[in-house]
Amino acid sequence: EGTLKKKFLLKIASGNHSELEPERMRFHREDFSLEILNTSRDDQRLYEYSVSKGSEEEVWQIQLEVFEPVADPSIRILHQESSNGSCSLALWCSSERGDEVSYSWDSRDNGTGGICSGSGNVLNLSYSLWSAAFGCVCTASNPVSSRHRVFNVAQCSSEQ
């Protein structure tokens, strides 16, 4: 129960290195980095790097996290209504894939006075029925990737 098992990926001694899983790893001599090929969720674990000098050993521990990149988001209209010359719209943005995805909204061009700015899946908009067409951009992002989708607001109608 109490035993700690370690698996070696690379050993370097007196200038020579031996890769113990060459089909999964690639060692780069020039910067001493170790590249994992075809990363999968199983690679998410604690890694250790140790250097021995005489009777001493220095050890560094690195916790590797693996994230699936986000897919292109899609935007749906959740709710739409017009009254007293203004239009209110609720947009919902979602990405089919990706770990720890966060969402933010912004204007496509900065001429709409921040009407599109917001965070989270849902953007609630309210604008004049006579305003010019403008675009809101949803960005789905996580620590390893970022994707955008533009929603063009023309007028308040169900034709969108």
Side-chain angles (χ1 to χ4, degrees):
E1 253 300 296
T3 40
L4 179 66
K5 264 194 182 172
K6 287 183 187 176
K7 193 172 170 185
F8 285 94
L9 300 172
L10 178 76
K11 284 186 174 184
I12 304 169
S14 56
N16 300 321
H17 76 274
S18 54
E19 294 179 43
L20 300 159
E21 287 190 42
E23 66 288 340
R24 289 195 60 237
M25 307 281 163
R26 186 177 296 138
F27 174 61
H28 300 284
R29 260 204 119 84
E30 56 279 0
D31 62 358
F32 254 67
S33 63
L34 190 63
E35 178 186 1
I36 300 174
L37 309 171
N38 303 322
T39 318
S40 75
R41 291 196 193 281
D42 296 341
D43 298 316
Q44 182 163 299
R45 61 171 83 116
L46 189 67
Y47 290 85
E48 218 169 65
Y49 172 72
S50 67
V51 177
S52 302
K53 278 186 197 154
S55 61
E56 281 192 352
E57 183 183 38
E58 268 191 72
V59 179
W60 291 267
Q61 290 191 327
I62 301 147
Q63 177 63 52
L64 181 71
E65 290 185 30
V66 177
F67 294 91
E68 180 184 37
V70 296
D72 286 326
S74 58
I75 298 175
R76 271 202 356 230
I77 297 176
L78 288 180
H79 175 75
Q80 177 173 283
E81 65 177 84
S82 57
S83 62
N84 309 338
S86 81
C87 182
S88 63
L89 195 57
L91 301 177
W92 186 66
C93 182
S94 68
S95 172
E96 291 288 300
R97 284 192 322 279
D99 296 311
E100 296 187 27
V101 185
S102 64
Y103 298 90
S104 63
W105 294 85
D106 230 316
S107 302
R108 190 184 53 195
D109 34 25
N110 301 326
T112 49
I115 188 172
C116 296
S117 65
S119 61
N121 283 77
V122 179
L123 175 70
N124 290 300
L125 278 176
S126 192
Y127 56 96
S128 160
L129 284 175
W130 300 280
S131 61
F134 59 94
C136 292
V137 182
C138 167
T139 302
S141 56
N142 71 0
V144 295
S145 63
S146 171
R147 299 293 208 147
H148 313 278
R149 171 78 59 170
V150 179
F151 182 89
N152 289 306
V153 181
Q155 65 272 10
C156 206
S157 71
S158 50
E159 313 306 311
Q160 296 173 28

